[in-house]
Amino acid sequence: MRSLFEPRAIAVIGASGNPEKIGYRIVENIVRSGYGGGVFPINPRGGEILGLKAYADLSDVEEEIDVAVIVIPAGAVLSAVEACGAARVKHLVVITSGFSEVGDLETERRIVRTAREHGMRVLGPNIFGIYSAASSLDATFGPGGITPGPVAIITQSGALGIAMIGKTATESVGLSALVSVGNKSDVDEADLLEYLASDERTRAILMYVEGVKDGERLQGTLAEVTRHKPVVVIKAGRSKRGSMAAASHTGSLAGADEVFDSVMRQAGVLRAESVQEAFSWVRYLASTPLPPGDEAVIVTNGGGIGVMATDACEKHGVLLYDDQAVLADTFSGVMPDFGSSKNPVDLTGQATAEDYARSLDAVLAEGRMHAAIALYCETALFDTGRFADLLRDVYARYRDRKPIVFSLFGGERIDAVIRDLRGEGIPVFGDVYEAVSALGALYRVRRRIREAPEEAEPIDLPIDEIRAVLRGARDGGRAFLLAPEAARVAAHLGLDMPRSIVARNLDEAVGAAGEIGYPVVMKIVSKDIVHKSDAGGVALDLENEEEIVDAYQAILRSCRAHVPDAAIEGVEVVEMVRSGVETIVGARQDPSFGPVVMFGLGGIYVEVMKDVSFRAAPIGRSTARAMISDLRSYPLLLGVRGESRKDIDAIAAVVSKLSHLIDRCREIADIEVNPLIVYDHGEGTRTVDMRILIKQPKGGERT
Ligand code: COA
């Protein structure tokens, strides 16, 4: 990727002398941005474009070209790609639209195939270009005038990307790179991230994503990059639902967005709700040192905004310093008499600008206080000009050592101060929540950088034996496992399933119940009936022979009525499991991210509240525990209202096993343990039912 960002020479195929054309704008931006390498406009008419010699044909250029920007009509692109291949170009930046985004996948594929045959990579098509501060290169058709700086932006939306150039100017955000990925026919975010991770100029990365193609690779790359640099993502399309909605809980709950959200969090990526929030975060993250410790102090001249900031700190995971003796000592002599040294430190409306600056200084000079949240409500006592100078001074002295966020609130004069200070790159916000959210993002980055990578836990699964069971089902023409087959897989996984015997007639059912011991459950066994309860194929809590007889007949009657042609193999008589907390563990092949695992509490928690969490598989037990604790209903597992704590470690073991299974057996489409009954701490779990769907025909198996 280095030669894409730092090319020695660049050609523009479709360069034009007509200022109305994109081919003109691109050459103009390249020239104006101060790019030091060779620039070769290609135009059939030859001549001169913007003072540069134009070549009628790429083959006329003698210098080695690293990047060819292609900006000619779609129908001519493929032959231009061939010409680039012959000229040993390294990267193609295909601006042209009119390929897969309008349904022409075939030409796009041919472009990529031809390029790859010649060892070239393709950025685009359907993009606005690339800006790289490393080589002062603006090869976009944006408005120009990009200020170099520490933020890299990767965007899938062209229009939003171009608009971001203007936004970066008004927000004083300097860019290290701006890359439009468009249709992502070849080069995608993961490729670009690998370069940006090692680029010293880049201190924070912002990605705008619409759809993910190779999510497994993206997740792996992001997980690596975020250990060194912050990555903020904005993703559109929160409401899309997964395609296997009806097949399972995991499927219906694994809406594209829920999985995206969890996987991004797992990879240490910060997801912003809006473009504004994303900008605010990257701007702050790129220019602020990590806090040396966990505890922040709020300094305010207004009680109300102090309370608001305290709420925001709780929401964004910012801890407040609360050693009262140290606080009293720190602020004695620097704050007015009526003030309160409790955090939030309230200087009151009586404070002068000097009191304010001295108090802020006291926080920042104190080694036990690690970050400052400076809030100010406009008062008549302050000379705003002098106040702004004091803030500048404090910021200049501590900017490299400790994080500070300023939030100023008032009328026109304060708005002018905010504008001026922001323009100078000082982190001043008009809104308290926005200020604390930026500091919260910085704390999340700190936690991510400091957290130890999860140790790979060796997990020994009898994959060959499990595959043999899956093969049996597939050979039988089924896309799902029958209960006894699923039970065999469960046994191989070491999941504790209730005892069960398949009975082919009533006599055998009675015998089986006697052998297992009452009470028992009875379930229909038929490859034609997947949703057993819906078909009336399940009877619970059967206490004696008489109840077995009644239930047996009722099950058969109901199933025949429900699915008249169903081939019924018999009924399964199962040990009735003692009650506990019902949970669901699922795993599936996600269309974007590959193998993912899900956990949720059963009943209304899953059905109504959709309270589930996901991770990209495989995961070890500690990640599984973190995933379990993500649930809103987690306190139920910890034990509420006198209930005892449940066996969370045992759940984590099941989640981890399923995650490894779905990762290693890619032929499994979807697997669900539902319910997994959880008992008190130390008493384990029972797998009451397990359903496995397999891919037909053969999926990519991994050994
Ligand atoms: N080699 C070199 N130059 C060529 C050429 C070739 N094979 N074929 C055509 N040209 C020249 C043309 O002669 C013209 O130069 P001129 O102005 O001197 O006559 C120039 O390339 C452009 O060709 P033209 O036919 O005028 O196309 P255009 O400028 O109207 O449109 C695109 C070209 C690429 C801009 C257009 O097809 C397109 O895709 N637009 C959408 C771009 C977009 O929005 N991208 C996504 C942004 S997010």
Side-chain angles (χ1 to χ4, degrees):
M1 283 293 116
R2 184 165 296 282
S3 47
L4 173 64
F5 286 89
E6 300 167 31
R8 285 162 305 170
I10 184 164
V12 180
I13 300 176
S16 170
N18 178 350
E20 306 276 294
K21 292 199 180 177
I22 293 183
Y24 176 90
R25 291 306 300 262
I26 290 180
V27 179
E28 186 186 35
N29 276 340
I30 294 174
V31 172
R32 284 206 186 150
S33 55
Y35 172 62
V39 185
F40 300 93
I42 313 295
N43 182 294
R45 275 197 277 271
E48 239 185 44
I49 293 173
L50 285 151
L52 297 168
K53 174 178 161 49
Y55 293 76
D57 201 289
L58 185 64
S59 60
D60 299 338
V61 178
E62 280 174 10
E63 229 175 284
E64 266 185 42
I65 304 287
D66 284 339
V67 170
V69 180
I70 298 184
V71 60
I72 53 177
V77 171
L78 189 58
S79 57
V81 172
E82 277 159 6
C84 289
R88 309 173 78 84
V89 168
K90 293 198 176 76
H91 296 274
L92 304 176
V93 172
V94 185
I95 305 284
T96 310
S97 303
F99 299 100
S100 65
E101 84 282 7
V102 293
D104 185 4
L105 196 60
E106 184 45 36
T107 312
E108 191 169 299
R109 284 206 183 118
R110 285 176 69 192
I111 289 172
V112 175
R113 216 179 308 127
T114 308
R116 298 307 291 254
E117 276 164 18
H118 289 90
M120 298 187 290
R121 301 296 308 266
V122 182
L123 181 66
N126 189 29
I127 60 174
F128 65 81
I130 176 168
Y131 165 79
S132 165
S135 46
S136 293
L137 171 67
D138 180 357
T140 74
F141 62 86
I146 300 174
T147 313
V151 174
I153 299 178
I154 302 173
T155 173
Q156 201 173 346
S157 157
L160 193 66
I162 294 175
M164 279 187 193
I165 297 177
K167 183 83 177 156
T168 53
T170 56
E171 291 277 318
S172 313
V173 176
L175 295 182
S176 59
L178 171 62
V179 191
S180 169
V181 287
N183 297 359
K184 295 195 268 197
S185 67
D186 175 27
V187 172
D188 64 7
E189 289 92 347
D191 296 306
L192 300 168
L193 283 166
E194 277 167 17
Y195 170 83
L196 295 172
S198 63
D199 173 42
E200 278 175 16
R201 282 177 186 75
T202 302
R203 294 189 58 188
I205 300 166
L206 169 59
M207 296 202 301
Y208 170 82
V209 178
E210 277 168 6
V212 175
K213 278 188 174 169
D214 185 355
E216 241 183 302
R217 178 160 167 252
L218 179 65
Q219 128 89 17
T221 309
L222 282 169
E224 200 46 47
V225 175
T226 55
R227 298 206 176 276
H228 314 284
K229 281 183 193 182
V231 179
V232 174
V233 68
I234 321 168
K235 172 159 184 305
R238 275 198 179 271
S239 53
K240 279 187 206 127
R241 289 268 146 199
S243 55
M244 293 177 71
S248 73
H249 278 101
T250 322
S252 67
L253 293 161
D257 196 68
E258 286 76 2
V259 174
F260 181 87
D261 208 64
S262 301
V263 171
M264 287 298 116
R265 211 152 3 105
Q266 182 183 1
V269 174
L270 307 177
R271 183 170 184 186
E273 287 290 331
S274 65
V275 177
Q276 183 60 42
E277 185 173 59
F279 257 86
S280 160
W281 285 355
V282 281
R283 185 177 195 267
Y284 189 63
L285 298 174
S287 60
T288 312
L290 288 178
D294 286 330
E295 288 160 292
V297 175
I298 300 169
V299 176
T300 178
N301 69 338
I305 49 168
V307 176
M308 279 158 70
T310 309
D311 290 347
C313 283
E314 195 174 303
K315 178 173 174 209
H316 294 287
V318 177
L319 290 180
L320 292 179
Y321 185 81
D322 71 352
D323 185 325
Q324 198 40 52
V326 176
L327 283 163
D329 195 38
T330 305
F331 293 102
S332 72
V334 298
M335 70 189 307
D337 292 344
F338 297 115
S340 157
S341 62
K342 280 210 183 86
N343 195 2
V345 177
D346 186 358
L347 308 178
T348 75
Q350 299 223 342
T352 62
E354 282 71 18
D355 290 333
Y356 194 93
R358 271 198 302 270
S359 302
L360 211 47
D361 219 326
V363 171
L364 293 163
E366 169 55 65
R368 285 165 287 191
M369 303 175 190
H370 308 119
I373 301 166
L375 313 176
Y376 172 70
C377 285
E378 186 174 17
T379 71
L381 297 180
F382 274 39
D383 164 356
T384 24
R386 168 108 186 94
F387 180 54
D389 283 343
L390 288 170
L391 295 190
R392 277 191 188 95
D393 172 62
V394 171
Y395 182 71
R397 281 185 290 117
Y398 292 98
R399 58 173 298 163
D400 296 329
R401 285 186 278 158
K402 281 189 187 175
I404 316 173
V405 280
F406 299 96
S407 174
L408 314 184
F409 189 70
E412 237 169 65
R413 289 184 315 163
I414 288 295
D415 283 350
V417 171
I418 293 177
R419 260 195 314 276
D420 288 351
L421 296 181
R422 280 179 79 86
E424 293 163 33
I426 300 177
V428 183
F429 301 83
D431 179 72
V432 179
Y433 288 99
E434 204 188 324
V436 177
S437 137
L439 185 62
L442 188 69
Y443 266 107
R444 276 153 70 194
V445 170
R446 178 176 186 266
R447 285 194 284 272
R448 172 67 184 175
I449 287 175
R450 292 164 64 91
E451 102 192 344
E454 189 182 41
E455 303 248 330
E457 283 171 41
I459 179 151
D460 197 15
L461 295 180
I463 292 295
D464 291 342
E465 287 84 340
I466 292 172
R467 283 225 161 100
V469 181
L470 302 176
R471 246 192 324 272
R474 207 155 44 182
D475 292 347
R478 278 177 282 120
F480 65 93
L481 267 59
L482 294 173
E485 292 167 332
R488 289 217 307 279
V489 173
H492 285 309
L493 289 172
L495 300 184
D496 190 5
M497 278 192 91
R499 279 197 66 199
S500 119
I501 297 171
V502 173
R504 277 159 303 174
N505 54 44
L506 181 55
D507 280 351
E508 282 186 19
V510 171
E515 198 179 322
I516 289 169
Y518 291 100
V520 293
V521 174
M522 227 161 36
K523 299 178 196 171
I524 195 77
V525 179
S526 166
K527 69 178 168 53
D528 301 315
I529 302 174
V530 180
H531 298 286
K532 298 182 198 115
S533 300
D534 295 352
V538 180
L540 303 173
D541 211 3
L542 306 172
E543 300 266 9
N544 50 46
E545 188 174 330
E546 205 175 305
E547 288 184 14
I548 292 277
V549 174
D550 288 349
Y552 184 87
Q553 283 156 356
I555 285 176
L556 289 195
R557 210 179 312 118
S558 170
C559 287
R560 287 207 175 106
H562 215 84
V563 190
D565 299 330
I568 292 171
E569 286 155 55
V571 293
E572 189 189 3
V573 180
V574 193
E575 171 194 349
M576 177 95 187
V577 171
R578 92 184 145 92
S579 63
V581 175
E582 290 197 6
T583 65
I584 299 181
V585 185
R588 71 190 295 254
Q589 307 295 345
D590 179 78
S592 297
F593 287 98
V596 295
V597 61
M598 180 207 85
F599 175 71
L601 260 66
I604 57 156
Y605 299 101
V606 162
E607 307 281 351
V608 184
M609 295 164 69
K610 315 270 182 240
D611 184 17
V612 289
S613 61
F614 292 90
R615 289 291 185 278
I619 57 172
R621 289 182 197 207
S622 61
T623 303
R625 274 191 292 270
M627 173 182 173
I628 296 164
S629 71
D630 274 357
L631 294 185
R632 279 171 281 142
S633 45
Y634 181 56
L636 295 179
L637 295 173
L638 289 176
V640 282
R641 297 192 174 182
E643 287 266 336
S644 49
R645 181 189 160 93
K646 305 300 166 216
D647 203 334
I648 295 166
D649 290 343
I651 307 174
V654 176
V655 171
S656 173
K657 274 183 191 168
L658 246 56
S659 80
H660 281 272
L661 179 65
I662 198 79
D663 177 51
R664 296 190 55 195
C665 289
R666 301 279 171 127
E667 63 268 45
I668 297 179
D670 194 301
I671 175 166
E672 189 168 283
V673 173
N674 181 14
L676 177 79
I677 308 268
V678 185
Y679 300 111
D680 288 353
H681 184 62
E683 293 180 13
T685 60
R686 295 295 300 268
T687 295
V688 175
D689 200 3
M690 180 155 97
R691 221 147 42 87
I692 300 178
L693 304 179
I694 46 180
K695 285 190 195 160
Q696 291 277 12
K698 280 187 186 176
E701 295 181 10
R702 291 194 340 175
T703 49

